Amino acid sequence: MKVVIIGGVAGGATAAARLRRLDEAAEIIVLERGGYVSYANCGLPYYIGGVIQERSKLTLQTPQSFKRRFNVDVRVKNEAIAIDLQKKSVRVRRLEDGSEYDESYDKLIYSPGAKPMIPDFVRQGEKIFTLRTVEDTYRIDDFVKAAQPKSAVVIGGGFIGLEMAENLHRCGIMVTLLQLEEQVMLPFDYDMACILHSHMREKGIDLRLKNRVTSLYESDGGVRAEVSGAPFVQADFAIMAIGVAPETALARQAGLKLGVKGAVVVNAQMQTSDQDVYAVGDAVQIFSFQTGKETLVPLAGPANKQGRIAADAICGLDSRYTGAQSSSVMKLFDLTCAATGMNERAATAEGILYDSVLLFSPDHATYYPGAKNMTLKVLFDTESGKILGAQAVGFAGVEKRIDVLATAIRGGMTANMLTQLELCYAPPFSSAKDPVNMAGYVIENIRGGLVLQHTWRDMERIVKDPDAVLLDVQTKGEYEEAHFEGAVNIPVDELREKMSLLKKDKKIYVNCYSGLRSYIACRILSQNGYTCSNLAGGMRFYRVVAENGEYDSHSRYLCGMRQE
């Protein structure tokens, strides 16, 4: 059997290695347009920032090492330029001399990845960069070292945009990041993204949201980004990072069936509309594990799984892809940001009746030195209690909790099942009641009617409601730091003695700093005949959204020392 693989990196390289482990006699050829067959794609921004200092560290495998270990014929700088499905052959161009040849196959794996999106408003120039390959990385790095730029504009607030902003800042470059939407990192809900907005600005990134770039071109020795309804941005160079698109020109020309955004349509065994052609990675249309709907998930994890599945199928094994849930993690300066499953937009689009809980939990036991809080948001189906999605931002242990919740989603677990999970505990690593357990407890409290909750979105309506009573159970000092206009301050430890000051015919909206003490206050009040609701995430979370979001009206309802 002869297998030709177009493209290396995650999907193609994984498929090649798996094929060899399954079939020692197979002839395996990998055609790679670039100069590197298997490299740390996700590590590229960190080379530019100097975190990864040796170029050799970016290369996971070379043609020579692939040959020695797997007996795979890897041909770098060999570009597939056409596929003939009838003849079962690939037309290949050697980029070093321009010569061409045909390579036959019994089975073909198509793994070209995705290409950076370059909109029409961009006028290409030597100071406007994209980042996809090792070669792109070296071009940016060489420019930074030679030109010693003082400023950069990054367009796009996704993974690459934020990682590049951090790493350019690490190089001492002043960074302006322009984002079309009202938030960065669209896998996150808007309110959770506001934590990232705050952190970026604290670190010195000039973050500008809801900025529509209408033109980007070289000007005055650097680049100029024209923005609709806002001042232009002048910088020494630019990074375009608005997303990627499936690279499927070859598939289209060959006549393979295409789907969402031109991605290649495959079945669960990664087989295309041609029975002898398989496709994997960023170029394929897959489906959501949770909804079954077609989608694109350009992440390394799914690409690696798909490469293995395609190899299994070619060798007669019944491996099948069961869908993606878009689990991801990112470093943002000293923060860790991770998400899995549905966010609020996705749940709303599916018409699911959902709610969410917000926790401000320490990453390990607070009595052990170094404990830091993380913000954890978990979405759940209000009818079944099934976990739908989760997002977390913090300094340590963030990805651990999201990994557990990703497993819970894959297993169809409910909030009650989260409370029963027996997770590792020792003071340096967690608490006896892990944040994942706590999320289950809070969800069960809400579903069981032990507490009602409202969110930051509700506060504008509540503050304007003449019949609403706002009760702040923070300490006096915390209250003076920040409180809602018109709120009554009764610290939670004084509430039992002073609750008679509150009227039982009014609904009471309770808040504290994080949401924990206000929950305790709600339990005290409700058992004494009061109707009350707890502010999810507390004053801390509300302030992050009000001060770092795009809903300016919310900051008007805050009083206290923050305005002095």
Side-chain angles (χ1 to χ4, degrees), residues 10-19 21-22 109 269-270 280 301-315 317 319-320:
T14 296
R18 177 65 172 171
L19 278 167
R21 292 194 296 270
L22 295 175
I109 298 178
Q269 291 190 298
M270 310 314 296
V280 302
N304 276 280
K305 292 179 178 66
Q306 293 156 22
R308 182 184 177 94
I309 289 167
D312 284 357
I314 288 171
C315 293
L317 300 180
S319 295
R320 295 177 180 271

Side-chain angles (χ1 to χ4, degrees), residues 195 357-363 366 372-377 393-395 435 438 442 513-516 536-538 540-541 544:
I195 304 174
V357 294
L358 279 162
L359 293 88
F360 193 50
S361 300
D363 63 321
T366 54
K372 293 184 178 181
N373 284 309
M374 70 178 73
T375 303
L376 175 63
K377 181 175 184 177
V393 179
F395 297 94
M438 292 301 300
V442 177
Y513 180 73
S514 69
L516 176 58
R540 176 199 64 84
F541 194 72
V544 169

Side-chain angles (χ1 to χ4, degrees), residues 3 32 163 322 345 374-375 416 454 472 509 513 523 538 560:
V3 182
E32 171 57 49
E163 289 170 352
T322 57
R345 292 183 300 278
M374 70 178 73
T375 303
N416 180 260
H454 56 286
D472 190 317
Y509 295 91
Y513 180 73
R523 292 303 300 144

Side-chain angles (χ1 to χ4, degrees), residues 223-234:
V223 296
R224 178 170 171 140
E226 303 281 356
V227 181
S228 178
F232 69 85
V233 176
Q234 185 76 29

Side-chain angles (χ1 to χ4, degrees), residues 272-302:
T272 70
S273 53
D274 185 291
Q275 65 178 1
D276 293 317
V277 180
Y278 295 76
V280 302
D282 297 352
V284 305
Q285 170 186 292
I286 56 176
F287 60 94
S288 164
F289 167 76
Q290 293 175 280
T291 69
K293 292 185 176 179
E294 294 81 8
T295 187
L296 302 178
V297 181
L299 296 172

